[in-house]
Amino acid sequence: MLHIRGMEEKRLFAERLKQAMREAGYDPRPSVLEREFNLRFWGKPITFQGVRRWLRGESLPSQDKLTVLAQWLKVEPQQLRYGAADDQGVGEPPAAWRTEMSDEERELLDTYRALPEQQRDTLREVAAALAVASGVKPR
């Protein structure tokens, strides 16, 4: 019973992800999802096969990846993961997501994605160190 429920949760997530992509003006294909997700995610890039499993309802993204998806697609993470709820739970206001990216930020991300993996790792370490030194709490 739990296995069937888990399969249904993954299938429903896949449908919500495809719908959110369409509503944001993107074709819900693995190649599109892989490119757009990896432009925004600072961790290890997701593979084509990984995003295809999301779109097929075979797996669910981790919370950090779900947050990036939600920010990109301009939906609440809870809605993307679980669907629309009749109530807001404990009554907390919805989070305000930063979704706009400046040309300068996009250029930085494009440059980052063009680097070899080892240099991307180094850049992430430098950014984390700068954040700590500046008192910025990492995501």
Side-chain angles (χ1 to χ4, degrees):
M1 181 74 166
L2 287 175
H3 178 68
I4 293 171
R5 184 174 177 198
M7 289 173 43
E8 181 68 5
E9 286 180 30
K10 292 173 189 174
R11 185 190 67 76
L12 292 172
F13 168 78
E15 293 304 316
R16 288 189 295 272
L17 177 57
K18 289 181 220 176
Q19 184 63 33
M21 288 180 71
R22 284 185 205 100
E23 289 176 4
Y26 295 92
D27 191 18
R29 294 182 327 201
S31 59
V32 173
L33 180 53
E34 177 191 26
R35 179 189 70 235
E36 295 299 324
F37 177 82
N38 285 329
L39 281 173
R40 293 162 174 82
F41 187 63
W42 283 82
K44 183 178 179 185
I46 188 95
T47 64
F48 179 86
Q49 292 80 12
V51 296
R52 185 174 63 189
R53 285 192 294 271
W54 293 347
L55 290 170
R56 287 183 172 181
E58 296 171 358
S59 69
L60 295 169
S62 60
Q63 187 62 40
D64 60 335
K65 291 177 177 69
L66 180 70
T67 300
V68 171
L69 288 168
Q71 289 173 340
W72 164 46
L73 298 170
K74 300 179 183 176
V75 297
E76 291 292 327
Q78 305 89 317
Q79 181 182 354
L80 185 58
R81 174 61 178 87
Y82 301 107
D86 293 337
D87 60 19
Q88 290 290 326
V90 294
E92 293 182 20
W97 297 102
R98 290 180 281 159
T99 56
E100 297 301 318
M101 190 180 307
S102 70
D103 290 339
E104 184 178 70
E105 290 168 323
R106 181 162 300 282
E107 180 182 349
L108 176 64
L109 285 174
D110 289 343
T111 302
Y112 167 81
R113 294 295 300 141
L115 294 172
E117 182 66 30
Q118 186 175 11
Q119 290 179 343
R120 287 195 306 250
D121 291 343
T122 301
L123 186 54
R124 281 193 301 273
E125 291 173 14
V126 169
L130 287 171
V132 169
S134 300
V136 175
K137 185 177 180 180
R139 295 192 287 169

